[in-house]
Amino acid sequence: GESVGLHLPTLSVQEGDNSIINCAYSNSASDYFIWYKQESGKGPQFIIDIRSNMDKRQGQRVTVLLNKTVKHLSLQIAATQPGDSAVYFCAENTGGFKTIFGAGTRLFVKA
Amino acid sequence: DTGVSQDPRHKITKRGQNVTFRCDPISEHNRLYWYRQTLGQGPEFLTYFQNEAQLEKSRLLSDRFSAERPKGSFSTLEIQRTEQGDSAMYLCASSLGFWTSGSIPPNTGELFFGEGSRLTVL
């Protein structure tokens, strides 16, 4: 069935280090994946997306990796900053309109 | 500010009362979504509108819940006879969908969320 899960509920990193947030999905039909960032008291905000015909996509300080063989998705944040502290959600879509969110990983950045 | 706006931001009500939330999407977006989020969880899909048509409702949306988008612009989500289990953040999102001839509408991906309406049922 449709489900998106995360390996770790919390992640703590030192400022300046790289962060890696992992996500597993179970729906083989999912062909589009998105990472969202949610700060306290705000709605989720789009970070980066990737389609199933790609393995890697880079943005500004962020990289998303997709491994369809093991149904695994990761978000890498380079040179993590205090402003990156938030909850990060991976989400999947099967090409229709419904985006399914995972439970989220809370990222703490230590100064 | 031309983002998605939701009203009210906070609502405290007693069990059994009715509540209504309003969402104003980004003006050119024809797709509108309602999600529910409880503490420590990701947003859960509730319902979706393409213009004024409600195209899908989650089974999470019991018969006490009703959503409308009468003119294809703003939307309302009403909860009747509220229960304590309805306490959550209700998020609205919009997106711009593109249709291509003869195919499933492609998803443009990005959902633009409002800041949510937090409901507390006492």
Side-chain angles (χ1 to χ4, degrees):
Chain A
E2 293 179 338
S3 68
V4 179
L6 297 175
H7 294 305
L8 296 172
T10 62
L11 177 65
S12 184
V13 299
Q14 197 70 38
E15 181 180 359
D17 287 352
N18 296 335
S19 303
I20 299 177
I21 301 172
N22 295 304
C23 177
Y25 65 95
S26 62
N27 188 349
S28 300
S30 293
D31 61 359
Y32 180 68
F33 303 89
I34 317 101
W35 282 98
Y36 285 86
K37 173 185 179 183
Q38 187 174 27
E39 297 175 311
S40 180
K42 296 185 178 180
Q45 182 179 17
F46 175 92
I47 301 173
I48 191 169
D49 60 1
I50 188 168
R51 296 205 174 267
S52 59
N53 61 353
M54 302 172 68
D55 297 323
K56 179 179 180 179
R57 192 170 188 210
Q58 288 184 295
Q60 187 176 12
R61 284 202 306 119
V62 295
T63 300
V64 56
L65 299 178
L66 176 62
N67 185 330
K68 295 180 289 293
T69 302
V70 296
K71 298 179 187 173
H72 183 267
L73 193 67
S74 69
L75 176 70
Q76 300 179 1
I77 304 173
T80 312
Q81 302 169 359
D84 295 326
S85 294
V87 178
Y88 290 82
F89 295 99
C90 64
E92 63 181 314
N93 188 288
T94 57
F97 55 81
K98 188 161 60 178
T99 299
I100 304 298
F101 286 79
T105 293
R106 181 174 294 279
L107 176 65
F108 292 99
V109 181
K110 297 177 288 186
Chain B
D1 189 331
T2 58
V4 177
S5 63
Q6 294 187 243
D7 182 72
R9 291 292 312 281
H10 303 274
K11 179 70 176 178
I12 300 173
T13 191
K14 293 182 179 179
R15 187 177 57 183
Q17 297 296 306
N18 299 342
V19 296
T20 299
F21 301 114
R22 176 181 169 120
C23 172
D24 287 272
I26 294 172
S27 59
E28 61 267 30
H29 286 183
N30 55 3
R31 296 182 174 186
L32 186 145
Y33 311 77
W34 285 98
Y35 282 81
R36 181 175 70 186
Q37 186 176 29
T38 54
L39 193 63
Q41 299 297 315
E44 297 173 296
F45 173 83
L46 293 179
T47 191
Y48 156 71
F49 290 85
Q50 174 85 25
N51 298 313
E52 66 275 10
Q54 187 174 19
L55 298 185
E56 182 165 329
K57 294 171 58 175
S58 166
R59 60 181 178 273
L60 294 174
L61 217 62
S62 74
D63 57 5
R64 296 185 298 106
F65 288 71
S66 62
E68 295 182 342
R69 194 183 183 196
K71 298 182 179 179
S73 55
F74 74 92
S75 176
T76 58
L77 176 68
E78 181 183 16
I79 309 174
Q80 295 182 326
R81 305 181 302 282
T82 53
E83 302 173 356
Q84 289 184 325
D86 297 331
S87 294
M89 176 75 82
Y90 290 86
L91 292 164
C92 176
S94 68
S95 72
L96 183 59
F98 292 97
W99 290 79
T100 58
S101 175
S103 65
I104 297 170
N107 193 307
T108 59
E110 182 173 0
L111 299 181
F112 293 81
F113 281 90
E115 297 196 333
S117 293
R118 180 168 295 284
L119 174 64
T120 301
V121 182
L122 302 176

